[in-house]
Amino acid sequence: MNALANPALFTPSWHAELELAYALDGATTRPVQRRHKGPLRVQKHLHAEGPEVCQHIIVHPPGGIAGGDRLDLSARVGEGAWAQLTSPGAAKWYRAASPAFQNVELSIEAGATLEWLPQETIVYSGAHAELTTRIELADGARLFYWDMAALGRPAAGERFAEGHFQAHLDIRRNGTLIWHERQRIEGSDGLLDSPIGLAGHPVFATLIVTGEIDADLLERCRELPCAGRGDLTQLPGLLVARCLACEALHARAWLIDLWRLLRPALLGREAKPPRIWST
């Protein structure tokens, strides 16, 4: 029996695509490609910091992601250009009988900069969320990346009791893999409360920045107050920060504080938070 013959077997879903590209025009970074299909798009680009940095806010109009949905997003930052991508609010992954998918492909060319700064991902209990992110860096390309995931809805007393959250992240420099990460957490998984897992914290966050900082700045970063557990590690060519928290706003506040310290040191510009973060 097919789904059309039996409506109970039919689950409507959204398949959305967004392709972005940026290029340097004189001293100004401009969007040179903006193609969308389905409910995924960007608002009008902004130059809130001046012409060098092009800011775009990625919007998913349905407001949530359900079973069978698929979001495909790609962004390419051309040589010497600088793009900053963020979102207006949390991405919500709803309870569903089937998986939903998000695929992100980011490419940063020589001398270009990408700041990937979305707000948190909230995964409801019973959701089946599968996220894949691949980032390609050329010589001299700079990346400031973060992600935040909240499992369940602690404020509503909801634990992540069912479903699963799966995330893949690969970063390559000139085709060579420099960061490879895989996460999979099942509902009611022992890792949710284990001291070698999330230790009872439903929110976890990661920040990755290309470049290296000196010991003094690393210590200043480690001294930032964190309403949870947070720390940083300097690897060859990559600075990595991790956070565990009880609320997404606590993790986000810590990441923003790190961004304020690290952006001038590693990217050479004062950190000016996008206005959308305050609305």
Short mmCIF file of all heavy atoms in Angstrom, two decimals, residues 23 60 65-66 71 97 144 151 158 187 190 196 211 215 218 222 226 232 258 266:
data_model
loop_
_atom_site.label_atom_id
_atom_site.label_comp_id
_atom_site.label_asym_id
_atom_site.label_seq_id
_atom_site.Cartn_x
_atom_site.Cartn_y
_atom_site.Cartn_z
N ALA A 23 32.16 37.76 -2.65
CA ALA A 23 33.39 38.14 -3.33
C ALA A 23 33.80 39.53 -2.90
O ALA A 23 32.97 40.35 -2.50
CB ALA A 23 33.20 38.07 -4.85
N HIS A 60 14.85 30.36 8.42
CA HIS A 60 14.07 29.18 8.04
C HIS A 60 12.62 29.48 8.41
O HIS A 60 12.20 29.29 9.56
CB HIS A 60 14.58 27.95 8.79
CG HIS A 60 13.85 26.69 8.45
ND1 HIS A 60 13.28 25.88 9.41
CD2 HIS A 60 13.58 26.10 7.25
CE1 HIS A 60 12.70 24.84 8.82
NE2 HIS A 60 12.86 24.96 7.52
N ILE A 65 11.90 22.11 12.43
CA ILE A 65 12.29 21.04 11.51
C ILE A 65 11.64 19.75 12.00
O ILE A 65 11.80 19.36 13.16
CB ILE A 65 13.82 20.91 11.48
CG1 ILE A 65 14.44 22.25 11.04
CG2 ILE A 65 14.25 19.79 10.52
CD1 ILE A 65 15.90 22.38 11.38
N ALA A 66 10.90 19.11 11.11
CA ALA A 66 10.16 17.90 11.47
C ALA A 66 10.67 16.71 10.67
O ALA A 66 11.52 16.84 9.79
CB ALA A 66 8.67 18.12 11.22
N LEU A 71 17.43 20.20 5.04
CA LEU A 71 17.97 21.52 4.77
C LEU A 71 19.38 21.36 4.22
O LEU A 71 20.23 20.71 4.85
CB LEU A 71 18.01 22.37 6.04
CG LEU A 71 16.71 22.51 6.84
CD1 LEU A 71 16.94 23.43 8.03
CD2 LEU A 71 15.59 23.03 5.98
N ALA A 97 8.57 10.65 13.77
CA ALA A 97 8.78 9.21 13.62
C ALA A 97 9.95 8.88 12.70
O ALA A 97 10.42 7.75 12.68
CB ALA A 97 7.51 8.56 13.09
N PHE A 144 35.99 31.26 12.00
CA PHE A 144 35.52 31.37 13.39
C PHE A 144 34.17 30.68 13.41
O PHE A 144 33.20 31.17 12.83
CB PHE A 144 35.40 32.83 13.81
CG PHE A 144 35.49 33.03 15.30
CD1 PHE A 144 36.54 33.75 15.86
CD2 PHE A 144 34.55 32.49 16.16
CE1 PHE A 144 36.64 33.95 17.24
CE2 PHE A 144 34.63 32.66 17.53
CZ PHE A 144 35.68 33.39 18.08
N LEU A 151 19.59 19.46 24.27
CA LEU A 151 18.82 18.23 24.16
C LEU A 151 17.64 18.27 25.12
O LEU A 151 17.82 18.42 26.33
CB LEU A 151 19.72 17.02 24.47
CG LEU A 151 20.95 16.85 23.56
CD1 LEU A 151 21.75 15.63 23.98
CD2 LEU A 151 20.54 16.76 22.10
N GLU A 158 11.44 18.81 30.28
CA GLU A 158 11.53 17.71 29.31
C GLU A 158 12.97 17.24 29.17
O GLU A 158 13.85 17.99 28.76
CB GLU A 158 11.01 18.16 27.94
CG GLU A 158 11.11 17.07 26.87
CD GLU A 158 10.78 17.60 25.49
OE1 GLU A 158 9.58 17.64 25.16
OE2 GLU A 158 11.71 17.98 24.75
N GLY A 187 18.26 8.98 22.91
CA GLY A 187 17.41 9.34 24.03
C GLY A 187 17.63 8.42 25.21
O GLY A 187 17.74 7.20 25.03
N GLY A 190 23.15 6.69 28.44
CA GLY A 190 23.90 6.85 29.67
C GLY A 190 24.87 8.01 29.62
O GLY A 190 25.24 8.57 30.67
N ILE A 196 31.82 11.07 32.07
CA ILE A 196 32.64 11.09 30.86
C ILE A 196 31.82 11.51 29.65
O ILE A 196 32.33 11.52 28.53
CB ILE A 196 33.31 9.72 30.60
CG1 ILE A 196 32.25 8.64 30.36
CG2 ILE A 196 34.23 9.34 31.74
CD1 ILE A 196 32.82 7.33 29.83
N GLY A 211 44.09 29.47 13.84
CA GLY A 211 45.13 30.34 14.38
C GLY A 211 45.58 29.89 15.76
O GLY A 211 45.06 28.91 16.32
N ALA A 215 50.08 32.40 25.51
CA ALA A 215 49.67 31.83 26.80
C ALA A 215 48.87 32.82 27.64
O ALA A 215 47.94 32.42 28.36
CB ALA A 215 50.90 31.35 27.57
N LEU A 218 45.32 32.93 26.27
CA LEU A 218 44.67 31.67 26.59
C LEU A 218 44.21 31.65 28.04
O LEU A 218 43.09 31.22 28.35
CB LEU A 218 45.63 30.51 26.31
CG LEU A 218 45.09 29.09 26.55
CD1 LEU A 218 43.89 28.80 25.66
CD2 LEU A 218 46.19 28.05 26.32
N ARG A 222 40.40 31.43 29.68
CA ARG A 222 40.03 30.42 30.68
C ARG A 222 39.47 31.04 31.95
O ARG A 222 38.74 30.38 32.69
CB ARG A 222 41.25 29.55 31.00
CG ARG A 222 41.60 28.58 29.87
CD ARG A 222 42.87 27.82 30.13
NE ARG A 222 43.05 26.74 29.16
CZ ARG A 222 44.20 26.10 28.95
NH1 ARG A 222 45.29 26.46 29.63
NH2 ARG A 222 44.26 25.14 28.06
N CYS A 226 31.93 31.06 33.44
CA CYS A 226 31.08 30.16 32.66
C CYS A 226 30.06 29.53 33.60
O CYS A 226 30.45 28.87 34.58
CB CYS A 226 31.91 29.09 31.97
SG CYS A 226 30.94 27.87 31.04
N LEU A 232 39.39 25.59 27.11
CA LEU A 232 39.95 25.76 25.78
C LEU A 232 41.21 24.91 25.64
O LEU A 232 41.92 24.66 26.62
CB LEU A 232 40.32 27.22 25.50
CG LEU A 232 39.21 28.27 25.49
CD1 LEU A 232 38.97 28.79 26.90
CD2 LEU A 232 39.55 29.41 24.56
N LEU A 258 33.98 34.76 24.65
CA LEU A 258 35.20 34.29 23.99
C LEU A 258 35.41 35.00 22.66
O LEU A 258 36.54 35.41 22.32
CB LEU A 258 35.12 32.78 23.77
CG LEU A 258 35.36 31.88 24.97
CD1 LEU A 258 35.16 30.42 24.58
CD2 LEU A 258 36.76 32.07 25.53
N LEU A 266 42.74 37.22 16.71
CA LEU A 266 42.91 36.27 15.61
C LEU A 266 42.41 36.80 14.27
O LEU A 266 42.88 36.36 13.22
CB LEU A 266 42.21 34.96 15.93
CG LEU A 266 42.85 34.16 17.08
CD1 LEU A 266 41.98 32.97 17.46
CD2 LEU A 266 44.25 33.71 16.71
#
